[in-house]
Amino acid sequence: MALTGLEIFKQLPKTNCKDCGHPTCLAFAMALASGKTSLDKCPHISEEAKETLGAASAPPIALVKVGTGDSVVELGDETELFRHDKRFYHPTAIAVLVEDTENIADRVAEINDLNFDRVGLHYEIDMVALQCVSGNVDTFKAAAEQVAANTNKAMVLICEDVAVMEAAATAVADRKPLLYAATNDNYEAMTALAQKLECPLAVKGNGLDNLAELVDKITKLGYKELVLDSGNRETSQVLADLTQIRRLAVRKRFRTFGYPAMTFTSKDDPHEEVVQASVYVAKYAGLVVVKASKKEEILPLLTWRQNLYTDPQKPIQVEAKAVAIGDVTPDSPVYITTNFSLTYYIVEGEVESSKIPAYIVPVNTDGISVLTAWAAGKLTGEAIAKALEENDMESKVNHKTLVLPGYVAVLSGSTEEATGWKVLVGPREAAGITKFARENFA
Amino acid sequence: MAFSAMKEKYSSQVHTVVLGATKEEGGTRDYTITVGGEGALPFLHFEGEVPHRPVVALEVWDVVPEWHESLAPYFGDVYNDPAAWAKKCVMEYNADLVVLRLKGADPDVADASPEDCAKVVKDVLAAVGCPLIVLGCGNPEKDSKVLPAVAEATSGEKLLIGVADQENYKSITAACIVHNHNIIAGSPIDINICKQLNILITEMNLPADRIVIDPTTAALGYGLEYGYSIMERARIGALQGDKMLAMPIICNVGHEVWRSKEANASSEDYPAWGDQANRSILWEATTAAALLQAGANILIMRHPKALALVKQNIEELMVPTSFDD
Amino acid sequence: MDKVTVLFTPDNVAVQVEPGTSLLQAAGLAGISLVSSCGGDGTCGRCLVKVEDGHVRVAETGNLSKKAKQSGLVLACQSFVESNVVIGIPSMSRLTEHQVLLDENQLMEEDIGTDEGFFFRPLCRVVELTLSPPTLAENVADWERLQTALRNVIDCSDIRISLPVLRRLPELLRTDDWRVTVIVAQMNDCAEVVDIAAGHVQKELNLYGLAIDIGTTTVAINLIDLKSGLPVGQKGSYNRQASFGDDVISRIIHASEASGGLPELQSAVISTINDLVAELLQLSNIDAHDVRMVTVAGNTTMTHLFLGLSPKYIRLEPYIPLAASTPAVRASELGLNINPAAYVVCFPSVASYVGGDIVAGTLVTNLAQEERIILLIDIGTNGEMVLGNKDWLVTAACSAGPAFEGGGITFGMRAMKGAIDKIKVDPATFDVQVSTVGRCKAQGICGSGLINCLATLRAVGIIDRTGKLQTDLSTPRLRQGDDGWEFVLVYGNDTAHGRDIVITEHDIKNLMRAKAAVYAGIRSMLQAVQLTEDMIDCVLIAGGFGNCLNIRDAITIGLLPDLPTEKYRFIGNSSLKGARLALISQQAWQEAQLLGSKMTYLELSAGNEFMDEFMSALFLPHTDMTRFPSVTNLK
């Protein structure tokens, strides 16, 4: 179980020497408890404390890397069950399945093309999963080489026949593919192969109990670059399995399951597949292998992944872009607020219900509210001037009057000076906007 | 045993809410629908009961909607007949229930009178046998006139009426108490306001098992994760015994998704995003699937194909799971 | 242009000013302090004066109501003199003498072991010495001889002396056969001989010190006899910086943005102190020359401004003060009218928003020696708090705002005469009875009155749990005012100024925010160390409320955690007490230096936790009502 800041503090020297870069030992202990620093930053810690604290602060889930260079995919190293508790770190990798009997070059080209730009973000498919359906050593090897030749993306090689796997894996070993999979029947040879090639190894169980046994056997052989697959494929069972693996690793520090988990979609209809995969993205899969490969199928899945892995600790911000509410004209009033989403949406709601079309200009205050932003010097006359300029408000309206939130009426002078606009001091609470707008702009 | 499953011990469960009333119960519905009651996180059957599957509703408007053309083949023929539209949703597209959105009441749309609105609701009730959800036009002032009138005209039907917010909850709550309906308590992506509104409503003496919460959920790609996390927190709170967070959750999926660029942008304009028709269906279905994982109990959908996908997903997720102790 | 005359009534004080001078400035020159929360920006609407004769140019009328304008009221900061004028100053616009918290009656030894364990050894003291006379064989120089003798007494190796004193040394030593009396200032590891007299004259010599608490709103001073450690007198008044804004942020902005702002603020506080000291000295007939040591406790911004250090970066992310600990300076360097060579030392700060006042409070409450877990809260504008015991201390500031001090509240005021401190509302008729400080006609509402008001209005259902006025209730006391809905507490014919005293929905929202910030601060701090409320053994309340705060009311509105009331203690002005303790105990002063570095500061603005706690506290008593069982069980 994770230790609290105070529990860690008790084991520290308590000298407040600042050598770790923190002002006090307690500050260091709290940073340690929340994973923001590491134990080795304290040069004065006792061996005994190092031992007890070291075990407690080790990551619950190992980080496993697949692929090389810029295309390396990092799996695992998660610390939470719920993103609101801190955040999720390593987005679920999505691999598209290709069979070794297909036209590899075409399929890989299609997968390479699965990259998207939306709202200033770039998404793409992480991996190509090559499945051996031919059962033929040469076919699979040639296909693997072809995949490698046609894409930089990380690879998964899917074949339980070690001899067939060995030829293909050896051929592309320098790309560090994930070898899928060690099973009850082949684990000794498959593990030896992964060990020899230094490639990450997937472990496929027959249910969680069997998976746990298998993982223990493999780690006894001395290999720990593992990715876990319970072997189940029914949606609700996979959800249960992925949940257990994550929970036991994070809450119970169950080392056997302290590795990233993976699964496959089982649906044939690509739409159903996407829906199924989005369940696994939500609940703890480190890697999902899908067959769907059309743009419209992959974009929603990658978008969902992107949403889920954003950092919830950051204040929710809206884009600092002027928004026209209603049918604005050049005569419409201009309201100033901040880009803290809560503040912005309250203002937006009130401006909307005032029924008087207007522009709202959210000033970029790093997502903090009006008064806080004023106090921290982030909502200033200059910041307002910059926002007006960036949004080209002078050309959008034919007047030069802005409405300043009543709480920062003190900024009137500096705002008029910096912007050259006349300031109309608005109400302090957004709730007063309707009354204010009717009195001033109706 | 190489591993033993970790099962959370929860002290409580989500409230159950019964939608609709049959003749014997004082209404006219053919059947009722019960939502909520789960004693585990979404679909984790191995550690608690999930007695009632989440349900999916299709949207019906009282005025002709300006929806994307790709929806016209499904509803175009009934856009101007809410009753026929509702029937189609249930009979043809297998919606578990129908949501009637009284858009026409909006002073900026048709400014329909409370009486006219009540009539549409009665028409729809007459056309279908399923329980009904009635949503106002979104103008709080107007809704606080329209929704009580609807509540009165349909007394005893146990509709699910909304959306009540901090500004107008009093009149809608009072009407729901008197006329035996359920209420939707809406809050703006804020777990505290969500809970506060539940306290305020229950303190007016509407029982907690007649409240469904709408925590406000954005579409995929538009801040879906914020609502997702709030729902997860509410569910964990409910299971740990917080009665004022334990209401079933309703999510306005179709409405949000069909405002997004990804659902609407044409294949020609955005070839890099793939086919619009399929993209929009998946945008809606993926949003819904994500929300199911956060604990949604009622999903309001728009596209029949998205609805079908989500129903399929729910069916698969309702398959019991267990781990040996 | 010729100067013009401004005559202020009812004071009958006239000043000559250049035309174009604002009435606010003119009043200042006349020695009249006006209320000006916004610092002269024309936005707070508080510096109302009446033009009784003559003409002024009015630049802005701000949010003045029509009625006020018609009655000839103008904003002093926005009105400029053009000719000879007569200006009337209403009492409500005046910064008046008020109950500045001085201490004494609250918390002493029995409560928390104040002063316990610290030796009486003032930072400046009188020592009688008898030196062995020099001989041909023992020919050490005079100064070194004195040092040797002193070292035996004061346990300090680094002993210094100033040149003027050194020059007088040889004659003084020999006047009374190598018997002398020296005055030694000693701080940390360094001592200085600040004066010498011939002979053993300890009895005749006078030695005094000042302990000063510089608050954002008020300044309080204790004059201490350093020979006995006993207080001679005490005084308090408004901090004159108040004319530049109510809160530290406004002051920081004034200091860093207005030209000459920093020296202006520094001299405002120095003159506040000088006036108080002059009164104290006069009353007790003490010579300013005999005041030779000063300890100062103030928040970080106040300490900066007192020393003339720029507070600019305190306000800007990542909120860095210029200095946490500051050097000892001479009184003459600051312009304090005491012995020019007197040393002035300030308590160290912990962070930008946790200052020396909190360190002083922590010192005097012996928090860092306690086995028990103690929470110390200063419910002021900054809302600082300290949690911990002998092993660890965490501290934070929750920026509650000035609402509990009456700031930002329509009829808010400090707890002085005429302040409503309690109300009673008839649940059937909604009629209101009020009690006021000094039992006189009501003038406004003080912090404890506001808290009581919130609790009472909620109890009778005039506001709901979100603080909204229930406008559907039928009582004429609920009405639409200039600032939205309001509730009349006292009608004009029963008030001191003839105007209706109301509490507006806006006031209530401000109070809700202030109480939410304090409670959220406490919760965030507890969460940082993963403790629960019930693990707090004792809560110490310092600051503006004094004993007036009703703990039950504070719990009822969710300002303070729902703990048994016997766990709460009022400790009054702990900052001033800490300053006095350090003045008379070197050990305490050293401890204060250590304390500053021992406290772990939590930046509440980092992360979402505080915001989340804050939002859930914006409810009466709290969104999670199970945290307030004693409140919710009443129903």
Side-chain angles (χ1 to χ4, degrees):
Chain A
M1 289 297 279
L3 293 176
T4 69
L6 276 187
E7 283 164 342
I8 295 173
F9 171 71
K10 285 180 186 144
Q11 314 251 5
L12 296 179
K14 294 182 206 154
T15 49
N16 298 328
C17 71
K18 301 179 173 54
D19 289 350
C20 60
H22 291 267
T24 62
C25 290
L26 181 57
F28 177 69
M30 291 194 294
L32 206 56
S34 61
K36 285 180 192 142
T37 186
S38 57
L39 202 54
D40 56 346
K41 294 272 160 47
C42 175
H44 311 294
I45 192 155
S46 70
E47 279 307 315
E48 190 194 345
K50 206 182 268 178
E51 212 161 288
T52 45
L53 294 178
S57 60
I61 299 176
L63 179 73
V64 175
K65 294 181 183 180
V66 183
T68 51
D70 291 344
S71 304
V72 72
V73 176
E74 299 189 332
L75 308 174
D77 195 20
E78 298 295 341
T79 59
E80 307 301 326
L81 289 177
F82 303 104
R83 63 186 286 281
H84 62 256
D85 284 335
K86 196 191 287 166
R87 66 167 297 180
F88 295 162
Y89 294 94
H90 295 102
T92 310
I94 309 289
V96 174
L97 192 74
V98 174
E99 296 179 349
D100 64 347
T101 50
E102 291 183 90
N103 181 330
I104 302 296
D106 288 359
R107 289 285 284 137
V108 172
E110 185 190 16
I111 294 167
N112 278 335
D113 196 32
L114 289 173
N115 59 82
F116 308 90
D117 290 291
R118 67 173 290 278
V119 296
L121 297 167
H122 183 77
Y123 311 154
E124 57 183 47
I125 282 288
D126 310 278
M127 305 170 113
V128 175
L130 181 69
Q131 183 170 26
C132 176
V133 294
S134 65
N136 181 299
V137 175
D138 298 330
T139 309
F140 192 50
K141 175 167 177 269
E145 284 169 336
Q146 243 193 317
V147 172
N150 285 287
T151 186
N152 289 325
K153 290 187 192 298
M155 296 164 66
V156 186
L157 297 178
I158 302 172
C159 179
E160 292 174 19
D161 180 330
V162 182
V164 177
M165 175 68 98
E166 181 162 15
T170 307
V172 297
D174 60 335
R175 295 285 293 274
K176 294 267 170 282
L178 172 65
L179 309 187
Y180 184 98
T183 64
N184 287 321
D185 301 331
N186 72 9
Y187 77 90
E188 282 170 311
M190 196 63 98
T191 305
L193 176 64
Q195 218 156 4
K196 184 179 87 183
L197 300 177
E198 294 178 8
C199 288
L201 175 66
V203 185
K204 181 188 177 188
N206 185 9
L208 285 189
D209 202 42
N210 173 248
L211 176 67
E213 281 171 22
L214 204 47
V215 170
D216 286 344
K217 285 181 192 161
I218 291 171
T219 49
K220 272 203 196 100
L221 293 173
Y223 204 59
K224 293 190 167 177
E225 293 292 305
L226 308 180
V227 180
L228 314 184
D229 176 8
S230 75
N232 286 318
R233 295 293 177 261
E234 310 78 27
T235 315
S236 70
Q237 190 61 51
V238 173
L239 171 67
D241 292 349
L242 289 170
T243 303
Q244 282 299 333
I245 292 172
R246 174 70 74 90
R247 262 194 202 169
L248 286 163
V250 169
R251 291 270 162 87
K252 294 265 161 110
R253 302 277 159 151
F254 180 52
R255 306 310 305 184
T256 303
F257 283 171
Y259 303 95
M262 67 178 289
T263 191
F264 290 69
T265 53
S266 61
K267 299 285 171 181
D268 291 323
D269 174 69
H271 286 193
E272 290 180 22
E273 241 197 305
V274 169
V275 173
Q276 190 184 30
S278 55
V279 173
Y280 305 152
V281 168
K283 295 293 162 73
Y284 315 134
L287 163 62
V288 181
V289 182
V290 301
K291 297 183 285 280
S293 60
K294 288 206 176 109
K295 283 173 177 291
E296 66 269 21
E297 294 156 2
I298 296 301
L299 178 60
L301 197 57
L302 294 185
T303 305
W304 170 223
R305 172 181 84 174
Q306 190 275 329
N307 281 182
L308 193 73
Y309 281 81
T310 52
D311 183 357
Q313 302 299 321
K314 287 207 176 121
I316 313 175
Q317 302 180 21
V318 296
E319 215 180 333
K321 231 168 101 181
V323 179
I325 307 293
D327 297 323
V328 289
T329 68
D331 295 313
S332 297
V334 175
Y335 292 94
I336 301 291
T337 186
T338 77
N339 72 332
F340 177 40
S341 74
L342 204 60
T343 304
Y344 172 80
Y345 285 115
I346 291 171
V347 171
E348 187 192 82
E350 293 298 329
V351 171
E352 247 169 37
S353 64
S354 79
K355 293 273 151 57
I356 294 174
Y359 286 99
I360 304 176
V361 180
V363 177
N364 184 0
T365 57
D366 298 332
I368 57 178
S369 64
V370 169
L371 262 185
T372 323
W374 166 73
K378 289 180 180 180
L379 183 61
T380 59
E382 289 74 36
I384 293 171
K386 191 162 160 249
L388 290 175
E389 194 184 321
E390 282 175 358
N391 285 295
D392 195 20
M393 292 313 294
E394 296 214 6
S395 72
K396 289 190 174 123
V397 293
N398 59 14
H399 58 88
K400 288 183 93 178
T401 300
L402 59 83
V403 182
L404 195 64
Y407 273 119
V408 288
V410 292
L411 286 177
S412 302
S414 64
T415 301
E416 291 193 339
E417 214 167 279
T419 59
W421 286 45
K422 185 175 158 32
V423 167
L424 194 59
V425 175
R428 282 171 293 190
E429 298 288 343
I433 286 178
T434 301
K435 185 168 169 259
F436 173 85
R438 286 184 185 157
E439 281 170 9
N440 288 278
F441 308 122
Chain B
M1 292 294 290
F3 100 108
S4 62
M6 183 180 165
K7 299 176 188 177
E8 298 282 356
K9 297 261 180 298
Y10 295 116
S11 60
S12 192
Q13 62 277 319
V14 176
H15 297 307
T16 51
V17 175
V18 179
L19 308 178
T22 59
K23 211 168 252 166
E24 296 75 44
E25 294 156 343
T28 63
R29 304 297 83 207
D30 294 346
Y31 54 91
T32 62
I33 288 178
T34 306
V35 291
E38 56 269 36
L41 288 174
F43 310 107
L44 299 185
H45 306 276
F46 60 82
E47 67 185 359
E49 232 195 314
V50 186
H52 306 288
R53 69 172 177 87
V55 294
V56 278
L58 280 177
E59 236 180 293
V60 173
W61 285 26
D62 63 339
V63 289
V64 177
E66 290 172 5
W67 285 359
H68 191 271
E69 60 193 18
S70 63
L71 286 157
Y74 300 92
F75 302 114
D77 54 335
V78 288
Y79 271 160
N80 49 21
D81 184 348
W85 185 349
K87 210 167 194 168
K88 197 169 188 185
C89 290
V90 179
M91 309 303 286
E92 206 166 311
Y93 301 131
N94 290 319
D96 295 316
L97 69 174
V98 170
V99 175
L100 176 60
R101 191 187 290 274
L102 298 171
K103 196 72 189 168
D106 192 321
D108 296 334
V109 179
D111 204 14
S113 69
E115 296 71 35
D116 290 345
C117 292
K119 186 179 172 300
V120 181
V121 177
K122 295 198 85 165
D123 290 348
V124 170
L125 279 171
V128 293
C130 66
L132 186 65
I133 301 171
V134 177
L135 300 180
C137 63
N139 174 323
E141 229 170 283
K142 187 69 184 283
D143 282 350
S144 65
K145 292 193 187 98
V146 167
L147 295 177
V150 168
E152 190 181 350
T154 59
S155 194
E157 288 281 13
K158 277 210 132 178
L159 304 180
L160 178 58
I161 296 180
V163 175
D165 64 15
Q166 273 184 309
E167 298 304 314
N168 65 7
Y169 74 93
K170 278 187 160 180
S171 61
I172 302 173
T173 304
C176 286
I177 293 172
V178 175
H179 302 292
N180 199 20
H181 295 297
N182 303 300
I183 198 169
I184 302 174
S187 48
I189 322 190
D190 184 319
I191 195 162
N192 289 303
I193 295 177
C194 169
K195 191 171 161 182
Q196 289 169 9
L197 190 54
N198 290 333
I199 295 170
L200 295 171
I201 291 175
T202 48
E203 285 191 345
M204 282 182 71
N205 286 325
L206 183 71
D209 65 3
R210 300 227 328 247
I211 304 174
V212 170
I213 53 183
D214 175 1
T216 308
T217 42
L220 177 63
Y222 292 83
L224 173 61
E225 67 275 21
Y226 298 120
Y228 179 89
S229 283
I230 282 171
M231 285 166 61
E232 275 199 319
R233 287 172 64 189
R235 275 298 156 265
I236 294 166
L239 297 176
Q240 290 173 347
D242 191 334
K243 300 282 177 209
M244 286 300 119
L245 278 176
M247 290 71 181
I249 298 173
I250 187 167
C251 298
N252 220 331
V253 178
H255 175 74
E256 292 295 334
V257 165
W258 286 92
R259 298 199 312 177
S260 72
K261 188 169 171 184
E262 287 76 1
N264 291 292
S266 72
S267 316
E268 291 73 42
D269 292 345
Y270 284 84
W273 288 359
D275 174 65
Q276 180 272 334
N278 286 314
R279 183 189 340 119
S280 60
I281 292 166
L282 281 172
W283 211 260
E284 193 176 345
T286 304
T287 305
L291 293 170
L292 283 171
Q293 289 305 314
N297 300 88
I298 307 173
L299 297 162
I300 305 177
M301 310 291 293
R302 193 166 281 182
H303 200 298
K305 286 198 168 171
L307 174 124
L309 283 170
V310 173
K311 275 193 102 162
Q312 166 75 24
N313 186 236
I314 291 171
E315 195 175 302
E316 287 165 22
L317 287 164
M318 286 302 287
V319 174
T321 54
S322 66
F323 292 104
D324 299 330
D325 284 313
Chain C
M1 242 211 271
D2 287 343
K3 286 196 173 183
V4 294
T5 305
V6 186
L7 175 68
F8 289 99
T9 64
D11 310 60
N12 274 323
V13 181
V15 285
Q16 303 269 315
V17 297
E18 299 281 349
T21 305
S22 79
L23 290 178
L24 184 66
Q25 287 169 308
L29 290 172
I32 298 168
S33 297
L34 295 178
V35 192
S36 171
S37 306
C38 66
D41 270 313
T43 51
C44 75
R46 294 209 153 191
C47 56
L48 287 180
V49 294
K50 193 168 177 181
V51 184
E52 294 179 342
D53 193 27
H55 187 71
V56 298
R57 180 174 61 80
V58 176
E60 277 285 343
T61 51
N63 55 2
L64 273 193
S65 69
K66 258 186 205 150
K67 226 161 86 190
K69 280 184 236 173
Q70 277 160 5
S71 61
L73 289 174
V74 296
L75 297 177
C77 66
Q78 297 298 324
S79 306
F80 304 91
V81 183
E82 296 195 321
S83 60
N84 293 345
V85 283
V86 179
I87 302 296
I89 301 178
S91 63
M92 53 182 281
S93 304
R94 206 180 276 269
L95 270 180
T96 43
E97 183 90 19
H98 70 302
Q99 300 177 332
V100 174
L101 268 182
L102 289 158
D103 69 359
E104 290 318 310
N105 5 4
Q106 298 139 18
L107 172 106
M108 281 279 80
E109 283 69 12
E110 74 279 8
D111 277 10
I112 257 287
T114 317
D115 297 356
E116 197 182 306
F118 292 115
F119 296 113
F120 174 69
R121 184 174 274 194
L123 296 187
C124 189
R125 59 197 175 115
V126 185
V127 181
E128 290 181 343
L129 296 173
T130 306
L131 280 60
S132 57
T135 64
L136 281 173
E138 202 266 273
N139 53 6
V140 175
D142 287 351
W143 166 228
E144 281 70 20
R145 185 171 304 275
L146 181 70
Q147 279 180 304
T148 308
L150 203 48
R151 223 168 263 138
N152 290 333
V153 190
I154 66 165
D155 184 30
C156 177
S157 54
D158 185 2
I159 303 176
R160 301 166 190 193
I161 191 165
S162 68
L163 193 56
V165 183
L166 190 61
R167 284 185 180 130
R168 290 160 46 219
L169 185 63
E171 298 311 321
L172 289 169
L173 286 178
R174 289 167 179 82
T175 305
D176 192 7
D177 194 19
W178 300 93
R179 295 193 309 163
V180 288
T181 305
V182 297
I183 298 178
V184 193
Q186 187 182 354
M187 289 160 293
N188 308 331
D189 298 325
C190 171
E192 182 181 317
V193 175
V194 295
D195 212 347
I196 305 182
H200 282 180
V201 292
Q202 182 166 15
K203 277 193 186 132
E204 290 92 273
L205 272 181
N206 290 323
L207 180 61
Y208 296 94
L210 297 171
I212 307 182
D213 161 48
I214 306 179
T216 310
T217 319
T218 56
V219 175
I221 301 187
N222 238 307
L223 175 63
I224 309 289
D225 182 339
L226 291 182
K227 281 159 61 182
S228 66
L230 296 174
V232 180
Q234 53 194 27
K235 276 272 169 200
S237 82
Y238 263 108
N239 183 341
R240 271 185 209 144
Q241 291 177 344
S243 318
F244 302 98
D246 266 351
D247 52 295
V248 292
I249 300 294
S250 308
R251 311 262 175 96
I252 295 172
I253 292 174
H254 187 78
S256 39
E257 289 176 10
S259 77
L262 180 56
E264 205 165 21
L265 285 165
Q266 188 189 16
S267 73
V269 67
I270 297 289
S271 79
T272 307
I273 294 170
N274 276 337
D275 286 3
L276 288 171
V277 172
E279 281 181 63
L280 273 171
L281 294 177
Q282 196 186 7
L283 277 174
S284 42
N285 205 13
I286 288 168
D287 186 346
H289 189 79
D290 291 333
V291 181
R292 294 179 184 266
M293 179 55 71
V294 181
T295 52
V296 174
N299 65 46
T300 312
T301 304
M302 288 305 116
T303 305
H304 276 59
L305 294 176
F306 173 70
L307 295 173
L309 304 174
S310 166
K312 184 172 175 188
Y313 298 100
I314 287 177
R315 173 189 167 225
L316 305 175
E317 204 178 84
Y319 320 113
I320 303 302
L322 190 156
S325 54
T326 53
V329 296
R330 303 274 185 187
S332 58
E333 295 176 73
L334 297 171
L336 288 180
N337 297 335
I338 53 174
N339 188 316
Y343 274 111
V344 181
V345 291
C346 296
F347 273 75
S349 303
V350 180
S352 274
Y353 293 105
V354 174
D357 50 348
I358 298 303
V359 173
T362 309
L363 172 74
V364 78
T365 53
N366 258 346
L367 218 157
Q369 266 74 47
E370 283 280 341
E371 289 283 344
R372 302 179 300 161
I373 293 176
I374 311 271
L375 172 65
L376 167 68
I377 324 176
D378 186 337
I379 308 181
T381 309
N382 293 335
E384 300 99 335
M385 39 192 84
V386 183
L387 176 73
N389 60 13
K390 63 177 176 42
D391 295 323
W392 53 272
L393 293 169
V394 290
T395 176
C398 67
S399 155
F404 293 132
E405 289 160 346
I409 305 291
T410 314
F411 282 89
M413 64 186 287
R414 305 278 295 192
M416 47 183 150
K417 268 192 174 178
I420 297 172
D421 60 3
K422 209 174 165 94
I423 69 165
K424 254 192 191 161
V425 181
D426 185 319
T429 62
F430 301 116
D431 273 346
V432 186
Q433 280 179 295
V434 303
S435 83
T436 61
V437 177
R439 308 241 162 118
C440 49
K441 277 196 169 184
Q443 180 132 17
I445 324 166
C446 66
S448 46
L450 287 164
I451 288 168
N452 175 262
C453 220
L454 210 55
T456 309
L457 293 181
R458 172 63 210 133
V460 297
I462 291 170
I463 55 174
D464 71 3
R465 291 191 185 279
T466 65
K468 253 174 100 79
L469 285 168
Q470 298 301 286
T471 52
D472 49 356
L473 296 177
S474 79
T475 162
R477 285 178 182 266
L478 270 170
R479 65 188 191 194
Q480 283 270 14
D482 287 343
D483 202 17
W485 283 93
E486 61 190 30
F487 181 76
V488 182
L489 294 172
V490 190
Y491 283 110
N493 42 3
D494 287 325
T495 65
H497 39 61
R499 295 193 292 151
D500 293 352
I501 293 178
V502 299
I503 184 159
T504 67
E505 196 160 276
H506 183 125
D507 294 340
I508 293 167
K509 291 269 150 92
N510 266 343
L511 282 168
M512 297 273 291
R513 274 193 281 260
K515 77 103 185 168
V518 172
Y519 184 74
I522 297 171
R523 290 289 305 189
S524 303
M525 213 156 67
L526 284 168
Q527 269 170 35
V529 288
Q530 282 153 305
L531 294 181
T532 51
E533 286 174 13
D534 56 356
M535 293 162 98
I536 303 173
D537 294 303
C538 178
V539 184
L540 304 174
I541 303 204
F545 283 114
N547 284 330
C548 337
L549 176 68
N550 180 314
I551 293 291
R552 269 315 317 165
D553 284 345
I555 292 172
T556 304
I557 68 163
L559 163 66
L560 295 173
D562 195 355
L563 300 171
T565 47
E566 57 272 19
K567 281 195 176 184
Y568 285 91
R569 293 246 194 294
F570 293 105
I571 56 168
N573 191 338
S574 57
S575 167
L576 182 62
K577 284 176 189 164
R580 194 180 66 201
L581 177 59
L583 185 64
I584 61 172
S585 169
Q586 291 179 18
Q587 195 194 359
W589 175 248
Q590 268 165 22
E591 173 69 16
Q593 310 305 302
L594 286 178
L595 269 181
S597 60
K598 206 169 164 183
M599 292 160 85
T600 300
Y601 175 68
L602 305 174
E603 177 57 61
L604 296 182
S605 74
N608 290 350
E609 197 163 292
F610 176 76
M611 200 56 193
D612 221 40
E613 282 290 344
F614 175 74
M615 297 302 285
S616 61
L618 282 176
F619 205 58
L620 295 171
H622 192 277
T623 307
D624 185 354
M625 301 217 275
T626 58
R627 291 192 198 163
F628 290 85
S630 83
V631 179
T632 38
N633 287 349
L634 290 175
K635 291 270 138 61

